[in-house]
Amino acid sequence: FGVVTDIRELIEVDDVMEDESLRFGPNGGLVFCMEYFANNFNWLEESLGHVEDDYILFDCPGQIELYTHLPVMKQLVEQLQQWEFRVCGVFLVDSQFMVESFKFISGILAALSAMISLEIPQINIMTKMDLLSKKAKKEIEKYLDPDMYSMIEDSTNILKSKRFKKLTKSICGLIDDYGMVRFLPFDRSDEESVNIVLQHIDFTIQYGEDLEFKEPRECEEDKSALVDEYFQDRVDE
């Protein structure tokens, strides 16, 4: 993949923060830049151009407010859809942040909030799995397909306040009722892990569905032979 365009050609956070008439800090400066970007989508359209079968990755800011409290990213999604792009959100959470039940609940709520706000298919990924210890990797397995009722037990046993226990149970119940958030592990040192994540994203946006499919075999005997061979291999193993 090559870099198609860089938003810093349009506006830079440092320039906004250095503007004495604005006096923004890092967060305020970023919000200003994103709102300015949303008012200049014509710049993005010209930068992207149009080529058949484009596969474009948008490296988005990590500031959670942009996805949960402000309309900017929603506006970007709607604009891309108007340009007939198939859009998929990829929500990244640092796996080192998710090894404790409280932090996991916080991360899953952030992912769920973004999903509800953007209203697009979303793949949720635990990144940096290669940096975890063996013990942490084993511990984090239960968070990949979480059972929120066991999470409730893990969390409420630590809490002393009945009020917070009740709140935690309500939050876990909400997450379980939606049942929309699952995480994929991402280990950049593992080619299979990378391919699995890419396959999920491609499937979500139906990438390549317009390509010419191979004709199915006409001879059913060949198909049966392949199936028998597959199971025979499993028996031999």
Side-chain angles (χ1 to χ4, degrees):
F1 294 101
V3 176
V4 176
T5 189
D6 191 328
I7 193 174
R8 288 174 294 187
E9 297 171 6
L10 176 68
I11 190 169
E12 284 200 50
V13 174
D14 290 343
D15 292 340
V16 172
M17 291 173 58
E18 291 171 4
D19 191 317
E20 294 184 1
S21 64
L22 296 175
R23 292 182 172 275
F24 282 125
N27 290 338
L30 180 57
V31 170
F32 180 89
C33 288
M34 294 304 294
E35 290 178 341
Y36 183 85
F37 169 62
N39 290 322
N40 290 274
F41 282 145
N42 58 320
W43 169 84
L44 179 63
E45 184 177 19
E46 293 173 2
S47 300
L48 293 179
H50 181 72
V51 180
E52 290 295 327
D53 296 326
D54 275 347
Y55 196 119
I56 300 175
L57 306 181
F58 289 85
D59 184 9
C60 300
Q63 190 174 0
I64 192 63
E65 293 92 331
L66 296 174
Y67 312 92
T68 58
H69 293 76
L70 299 172
V72 175
M73 300 308 296
K74 175 69 172 176
Q75 291 168 359
L76 172 59
V77 165
E78 291 174 346
Q79 186 62 73
L80 290 171
Q81 289 172 334
Q82 288 179 19
W83 293 335
E84 299 184 345
F85 281 98
R86 294 169 183 164
V87 184
C88 164
V90 182
F91 193 88
L92 308 179
V93 181
D94 192 329
S95 60
Q96 297 174 97
F97 173 79
M98 302 284 274
V99 292
E100 297 176 12
S101 57
F102 279 118
K103 293 178 179 179
F104 174 78
I105 292 171
S106 174
I108 205 171
L109 280 176
L112 181 58
S113 180
M115 291 176 73
I116 294 171
S117 175
L118 297 180
E119 296 182 304
I120 56 174
Q122 180 169 302
I123 305 296
N124 302 298
I125 298 175
M126 284 192 189
T127 63
K128 303 179 183 178
M129 293 290 289
D130 50 303
L131 300 183
L132 295 178
S133 64
K134 289 184 178 180
K135 181 180 179 181
K137 282 183 179 179
K138 189 171 183 178
E139 179 69 18
I140 211 169
E141 283 181 6
K142 65 181 179 182
Y143 296 129
L144 297 176
D145 188 13
D147 176 2
M148 296 313 300
Y149 293 101
S150 64
M151 293 286 172
I152 292 172
E153 296 301 321
D154 291 345
S155 303
T156 55
N157 287 338
I158 303 172
L159 294 170
K160 296 180 180 179
S161 169
K162 291 184 179 179
R163 184 186 307 174
F164 282 113
K165 285 183 180 181
K166 187 175 180 181
L167 175 62
T168 303
K169 287 183 178 180
S170 297
I171 291 174
C172 290
L174 172 68
I175 295 170
D176 190 69
D177 288 342
Y178 270 91
M180 295 169 63
V181 181
R182 293 292 182 273
F183 287 93
L184 292 174
F186 183 80
D187 181 342
R188 68 174 186 173
S189 64
D190 184 349
E191 186 176 350
E192 183 179 359
S193 172
V194 175
N195 287 333
I196 288 172
V197 169
L198 182 59
Q199 288 170 8
H200 275 78
I201 296 171
D202 287 349
F203 179 79
T204 301
I205 61 176
Q206 299 178 319
Y207 179 70
E209 73 160 8
D210 298 328
L211 299 178
E212 185 178 348
F213 291 98
K214 294 181 179 179
E215 291 293 329
R217 296 191 180 195
E218 294 181 2
C219 182
E220 287 297 324
E221 292 182 1
D222 289 345
K223 181 178 178 182
S224 299
L226 286 173
V227 173
D228 292 341
E229 183 181 347
Y230 172 83
F231 283 107
Q232 184 59 48
D233 288 341
R234 292 299 179 272
V235 171
D236 294 340
E237 291 173 0

